[in-house]
Amino acid sequence: MNVRKLVTVVEETRLEGGREVDPVARVAVVAAVIENPWAGAGFVEDLAPGIEANASELGALLAPRVLEALGGTAEAYGKAGIVGLDGEVEHASALIHTLKFGDHFRKAAQATTLLPAVEKRGRAGTTFDIPLKHVTDATIRSHHQSVEVQVPDAPHAGEIVVALAAATRGRPQQRLAPLSSEQ
């Protein structure tokens, strides 16, 4: 796996809706800009060798970094894969939609739910929103949120941006009734 750069973003929301947020809402994102192992090879029928060579190592690299950057317990989490223009969306999906990748984050965050994701193709500077859900109960509405991310110089045409995100809490000032109230 060839990593060109790692990018860490930490966001703290202290005021929302004109009111103090207590405790402060923290969201952290760590993104790796990597060489796309399938770019330029034409249509690759079997993605398994590239997954085997990269996904676990990538998950092991990102999971502890995002939790360290968060500086607290992860209550919500998500992932993203943005492939450069010389690749296919399936290339990003191949790396992030495997237990070899995601289980590193699930174990580190003591999570049990599906790790929500976004993937798309774009040029350098593409903005993407990483969806977040509660780490143990995806029906907890307060934790349904997203974080907007952009790496100004990535992905290059032959790269993939792979990112993990975590939040210390749900949306600031959330006021929606529990999902169970509608069932």
Side-chain angles (χ1 to χ4, degrees), residues 4-5 7 29-36 58 62 79-84 92 95-96 118-120 122-126 128 130 149-151 153-156 159-164:
R4 179 166 67 88
K5 70 188 313 185
V7 176
V29 178
V30 176
V33 179
I34 66 166
E35 180 181 311
N36 181 342
L58 194 53
L62 296 177
K79 62 187 174 184
I82 312 304
V83 66
L95 292 175
I96 69 171
V118 66
E119 57 274 90
K120 67 182 195 179
R123 60 180 50 119
T126 293
F128 53 100
I130 302 175
V149 184
Q150 178 191 49
V151 180
D153 70 337
H156 291 169
E159 294 179 330
I160 302 174
V161 175
V162 176
L164 293 178

Side-chain angles (χ1 to χ4, degrees), residues 19 26-27 88 131 138 163 168:
R19 293 185 176 188
R26 288 177 59 89
V27 179
E88 303 171 39
T168 57

Side-chain angles (χ1 to χ4, degrees), residues 102-113:
D103 273 356
H104 290 282
F105 199 15
R106 268 186 217 86
K107 288 175 185 168
Q110 298 179 328
T112 57
T113 58

Side-chain angles (χ1 to χ4, degrees), residues 75-161:
E75 287 190 10
Y77 70 159
K79 62 187 174 184
I82 312 304
V83 66
L85 297 177
D86 285 349
E88 303 171 39
V89 171
E90 190 70 1
H91 296 164
S93 296
L95 292 175
I96 69 171
H97 290 303
T98 173
L99 296 177
K100 293 176 186 312
F101 174 76
D103 273 356
H104 290 282
F105 199 15
R106 268 186 217 86
K107 288 175 185 168
Q110 298 179 328
T112 57
T113 58
L114 184 68
L115 182 53
V118 66
E119 57 274 90
K120 67 182 195 179
R121 181 179 21 234
R123 60 180 50 119
T126 293
T127 300
F128 53 100
D129 294 328
I130 302 175
L132 304 172
K133 302 280 186 193
H134 194 278
V135 296
T136 60
D137 185 348
T139 67
I140 297 177
R141 285 183 173 171
S142 60
H143 289 62
H144 294 196
Q145 56 189 313
S146 60
V147 58
E148 184 178 66
V149 184
Q150 178 191 49
V151 180
D153 70 337
H156 291 169
E159 294 179 330
I160 302 174
V161 175

